[in-house]
Amino acid sequence: MRALKMKMIVFLMVVTITTMSFGQEIALPNVKILATGGTIAGSASSATSGSYSAAQIGIQTMINAVPGIKEIADVSGEQISNVGSQDMSIEIWLKLANRINELLASDEVDGIVITHGTDTLEETAYFLSLVIKSDKPVVTTGSMRSSTSISAEGPLNLYNAVAIAANPESNGKGVMVSLNDQIHTARDVSKMNTTNVNSFQSPIKGMLGGVFYGRLGFFREPNTKFGNTSEFSITGVKELPRVDIIYAYADMSPDLINMHVKAGAKGIVIAGVGNGNMTDAILRAAKSAYENHGVFVVRSTRAATGWVLRDNEFKDDDYHTIASGDLNPAKARILLMLALSKGEKLSNMQTLFDTY
Ligand code: GLU
């Protein structure tokens, strides 16, 4: 009797497992693609011309151009904007970030892909990494060649980005940037070349991972704060304080600082020479900008890569300046805008730059 009972239990278990495997379709992860424009959506009259117009085709046409994409995820698209990324704006960033936070709060969405022009892709990605409140993957991608170009790489980049966003291993990695079979953190990546498909690199810390026709692996963990642990939030934020960037050069005049202060800048990032250096006159103008107008000045660098260290050739405290570490000028501007927007004091600014 007991043996019969056991047999019945085993039989029922087998029936249940078989029904689960064959009776139901295994659901694909839900990935939402948010399109913003860029070369990946660009087109030209000739496949062999480098000239084209960015942001010409819509999200559905882009999805349709990627063979096999519907086999790796349940994808749907949404057009957030359709601009060349030189026209990316704080307004679009806020719209995009709010929409992502809304989508990722839902159980219906497992990951997000953003298509974007490559010119300011690293800025959008870094901004999002600081204000998206979710551990689910957000992957930004683009292309260096337009959709009508010979050897257009956009469809494979989009396929890979969807595969990354659909993979549970990508959870908790923050906002990523993926082009040319590589995965980078939003914080560490820069566009290093104006035209080459291998333009995106993380020159100091290296790639986060790699992706090959949808198969992926991660090589390291991001080591700065982002996402759920970030103290920045855009809830209720309609605009950000004005922060300008000034490019330093030999014999630079202090007038530049004064002009930006007069124009209403609340913060200035100096793309300094070398280790965040600038003429003595600019340094004195920076000191006076803070003392007389409360304008914060961050020292970054015009060099393509490297750290800007605090107290290197002078004491930062003497001039009220903040060292950007390895944040390039465009990203230092974003961090300063967010910090100013939450009313951060100068005494805590360097800690923020060392943390994010
Ligand atoms: N200027 C365009 C943009 O950023 C072209 C760069 C690109 O997408 O590759 O949208």
Side-chain angles (χ1 to χ4, degrees):
M1 188 62 187
R2 222 168 141 181
L4 186 66
K5 224 170 166 184
M6 274 309 288
K7 272 187 193 160
M8 280 298 289
I9 291 170
V10 171
F11 173 75
L12 283 173
M13 279 168 70
V14 170
V15 169
T16 314
I17 291 167
T18 313
T19 317
M20 275 168 63
S21 341
F22 300 107
Q24 297 167 3
E25 273 186 28
I26 296 168
L28 288 170
N30 280 319
V31 174
K32 195 89 181 170
I33 305 178
L34 304 180
T36 68
T39 296
I40 192 165
S43 67
S45 51
S46 155
T48 51
S49 162
S51 322
Y52 63 91
S53 306
Q56 297 299 302
I57 63 171
I59 179 60
Q60 206 47 53
T61 315
M62 275 162 63
I63 293 174
N64 293 344
V66 185
I69 198 167
K70 295 197 170 126
E71 284 148 36
I72 54 170
D74 202 347
V75 288
S76 57
E78 204 173 297
Q79 197 80 41
I80 297 289
S81 64
N82 209 357
V83 295
S85 72
Q86 58 271 43
D87 285 321
M88 188 47 63
S89 63
I90 291 172
E91 194 185 337
I92 303 175
W93 282 349
L94 292 171
K95 179 179 173 190
L96 186 59
N98 280 318
R99 183 66 182 133
I100 294 171
N101 277 329
E102 185 182 23
L103 286 167
L104 291 183
S106 151
D107 290 341
E108 305 291 302
V109 180
D110 298 302
I112 301 275
V113 167
I114 300 156
T115 59
H116 199 288
T118 59
D119 287 353
T120 61
L121 198 158
E122 70 206 67
E123 289 173 61
T124 300
Y126 182 58
F127 173 76
L128 295 176
S129 76
L130 297 177
V131 299
I132 296 300
K133 302 294 176 193
S134 173
D135 276 342
K136 294 179 189 173
V138 176
V139 187
T140 55
T141 191
S143 72
M144 298 296 290
R145 297 179 182 143
S146 80
S147 69
T148 49
S149 159
I150 186 170
S151 293
E153 89 283 27
L156 182 53
N157 286 348
L158 185 53
Y159 181 87
N160 281 336
V162 168
I164 300 165
N167 193 319
E169 267 190 63
S170 310
N171 287 346
K173 301 270 192 288
V175 176
M176 291 166 270
V177 174
S178 178
L179 292 93
N180 201 34
D181 295 356
Q182 301 174 4
I183 309 171
H184 298 266
T185 68
R187 186 186 187 283
D188 301 322
V189 75
S190 284
K191 182 173 183 176
M192 303 289 281
N193 186 291
T194 52
T195 55
N196 198 288
V197 290
N198 194 30
S199 176
F200 282 79
Q201 291 166 35
S202 299
I204 296 182
K205 295 189 196 153
M207 289 155 61
L208 183 66
V211 54
F212 184 70
Y213 294 96
R215 293 164 66 186
L216 58 119
F218 290 99
F219 312 148
R220 66 176 180 90
E221 289 297 322
N223 68 345
T224 51
K225 267 194 175 181
F226 55 81
N228 274 332
T229 60
S230 160
E231 64 204 83
F232 302 107
S233 158
I234 46 150
T235 307
V237 171
K238 297 274 173 278
E239 54 188 19
L240 292 173
R242 174 169 170 170
V243 173
D244 294 341
I245 300 174
I246 305 178
Y247 191 93
Y249 47 87
D251 206 24
M252 181 186 188
S253 151
D255 293 352
L256 285 174
I257 293 261
N258 304 332
M259 281 159 54
H260 285 269
V261 170
K262 212 167 157 203
K266 303 289 178 251
I268 295 173
V269 175
I270 301 191
V273 292
N275 197 338
N277 290 315
M278 59 206 80
T279 57
D280 191 51
I282 282 277
L283 210 43
R284 279 185 275 113
K287 181 178 166 108
S288 135
Y290 178 75
E291 287 178 354
N292 299 318
H293 306 278
V295 173
F296 290 63
V297 179
V298 172
R299 299 189 297 113
S300 184
T301 180
R302 69 179 200 183
T305 169
W307 272 275
V308 170
L309 301 167
R310 191 165 178 86
D311 298 338
N312 190 54
E313 294 198 27
F314 56 88
K315 289 262 173 256
D316 279 283
D317 277 347
D318 292 348
Y319 297 91
H320 318 296
T321 46
I322 304 140
S324 74
D326 60 342
L327 276 184
N328 69 22
K331 291 184 192 178
R333 170 179 174 260
I334 289 165
L335 183 53
L336 186 55
M337 284 193 296
L338 286 170
L340 289 172
S341 131
K342 73 191 269 293
E344 208 58 64
K345 302 262 181 310
L346 181 63
S347 53
N348 196 38
M349 277 292 180
Q350 189 62 61
T351 306
L352 289 183
F353 273 80
D354 296 341
T355 309
Y356 292 92

